[in-house]
Amino acid sequence: MDQKDIRQRETEGKETAVLLKRLRVSAVFHALLVLLGAFVTQFVASMLCMIVTGVYVLFVQGRTREDLSKLLMGSLGDCSMIISLVYAVGAIVWCGILYYRWTWRERPFSYRKAFEGARIPCAIALGFGACMVFNVIVSAAATLFPDAFVSYQKLMGNLDFRASILTVPYVMLAGPVAEELIFRGVILDRLKPAFPFWVANVMQAALFGFFHLNVIQGLYAFVLGILLGMVVRVTGSIIGSMITHIIFNATSIGLSVLAVYAEDFYRKTAIYILTAAVICFILGFRYYVHQYHVVKSEESQTLE
């Protein structure tokens, strides 16, 4: 190889490095822009609900501002859930459009192949097991460090299914679908072309944790986000992570229902439920780690 070829390769290498840097900067910028969009959607949903409520109470019913204030404070749980549902629907719409139109997406896509074998059962097992394991860890930490969990416990109180009839549809369906479209859908899609998968996965999980604006919830949301990203990587679709996320949240609601309406039964069977959850978590986690390596190996062979 002569000096001319060496200089040409060096030049090409530098150009490639510059292009990769620009791609990564662009990917991070767009990911942060989507995160900002999620916060803006929450704000707009809040303002919209407050304006509609205010107009209805003040101008349609002809009541006073004091009446409006009492109404809002008296139905705080319902107001919070209405805002959350409006936000979730808005996020599903605009993130769904962005996710569908992303040019890197494989088309046509085979959902039969994506969810063949034990992928759906193991996605369900992973969601159920992760919820139980995380709950035990958080409960143990709350017992040891109660002062650090004051804001977290207040936040969880707002999501109590008894606070509003709208809590269940939001927590079990609208919320998980919206969050999967935002983080494992649009944001992860923007990061994957610019970074190795695990770098992109950790980045989207970190943004997912930050989005919750609570240290405790943010930490386990970060870990959950990594698991959900791995499910997306294996299946190639956010449908898998949606299933896992929905089961995760549904398990939390189910445990709350048992604790309130079947306390004796829950207390007697808690150890069995926990044992089953740990087994499910291990099986689901091992399966998806194995499948990740299988998918990675298949892609390497395709590139060769």
Side-chain angles (χ1 to χ4, degrees):
M1 183 181 296
D2 58 23
Q3 292 296 323
K4 183 178 180 181
D5 291 335
I6 293 174
R7 286 195 297 270
Q8 184 176 354
R9 288 198 174 188
E10 289 177 349
T11 302
E12 290 175 352
K14 290 179 181 179
E15 291 176 351
T16 301
V18 171
L19 290 174
L20 180 59
K21 184 177 180 179
R22 289 177 179 174
L23 178 63
R24 288 179 172 176
V25 170
S26 175
V28 172
F29 173 75
H30 283 95
L32 293 175
L33 201 61
V34 173
L35 179 67
L36 176 63
F39 282 118
V40 170
T41 304
Q42 285 186 329
F43 176 76
V44 170
S46 177
M47 292 298 99
L48 182 62
C49 289
M50 292 300 178
I51 290 172
V52 170
T53 302
V55 169
Y56 178 75
V57 171
L58 296 176
F59 298 100
V60 177
Q61 292 187 333
R63 297 163 70 179
T64 65
R65 293 182 180 178
E66 289 75 13
D67 293 331
L68 175 61
S69 178
K70 290 178 181 178
L71 175 66
L72 293 176
M73 293 302 296
S75 58
L76 192 59
D78 286 331
C79 288
S80 176
M81 282 301 105
I82 291 172
I83 292 170
S84 296
L85 281 170
V86 172
Y87 142 74
V89 171
I92 288 170
V93 171
W94 68 269
C95 283
I97 294 172
L98 289 177
Y99 180 74
Y100 178 77
R101 295 179 63 183
W102 186 234
T103 55
W104 288 87
R105 178 142 299 102
E106 177 186 345
R107 292 185 175 90
F109 183 78
S110 174
Y111 285 96
R112 177 177 294 180
K113 182 179 178 181
F115 298 109
E116 63 186 0
R119 287 180 177 178
I120 290 181
C122 285
I124 294 172
L126 186 62
F128 168 64
C131 181
M132 289 294 298
V133 171
F134 288 5
N135 275 341
V136 170
I137 294 173
V138 170
S139 298
T143 302
L144 295 173
F145 311 102
D147 294 340
F149 283 78
V150 174
S151 60
Y152 171 75
Q153 290 169 345
K154 183 178 179 181
L155 175 65
M156 290 298 100
N158 293 334
L159 295 176
D160 191 329
F161 71 96
R162 293 169 293 180
S164 171
I165 194 173
L166 301 175
T167 301
V168 173
Y170 171 73
V171 172
M172 289 181 58
L173 185 61
V177 171
E179 289 178 348
E180 290 312 303
L181 279 168
I182 294 169
F183 295 96
R184 264 65 62 185
V186 180
I187 288 180
L188 186 57
D189 266 5
R190 267 59 183 172
L191 295 173
K192 280 191 297 186
F195 297 93
F197 167 72
W198 278 107
V199 175
N201 195 34
V202 169
M203 291 173 70
Q204 66 81 17
L207 294 178
F208 183 49
F210 174 77
F211 179 70
H212 289 79
L213 298 179
N214 179 277
V215 175
I216 307 302
Q217 192 181 24
L219 285 174
Y220 75 71
F222 169 70
V223 178
L224 177 63
I226 290 176
L227 295 176
L228 294 170
M230 186 169 62
V231 173
V232 172
R233 180 71 174 84
V234 170
T235 62
S237 170
I238 58 169
I239 300 297
S241 65
M242 283 181 181
I243 292 172
T244 303
H245 200 158
I246 288 170
I247 295 299
F248 183 95
N249 285 17
T251 301
S252 181
I253 292 290
L255 292 175
S256 299
V257 171
L258 282 178
V260 172
Y261 296 110
E263 185 178 356
D264 291 338
F265 173 79
Y266 179 60
R267 188 169 54 251
K268 292 176 181 178
T269 60
I271 186 63
Y272 302 107
I273 297 174
L274 178 59
T275 301
V278 171
I279 293 172
C280 285
F281 178 75
I282 293 173
L283 291 176
F285 180 73
R286 288 189 62 182
Y287 175 84
Y288 270 97
V289 168
H290 172 70
Q291 287 294 301
Y292 167 75
H293 290 296
V294 170
V295 170
K296 186 177 179 181
S297 176
E298 290 176 350
E299 290 182 349
S300 298
Q301 292 175 3
T302 301
L303 291 174
E304 292 175 358

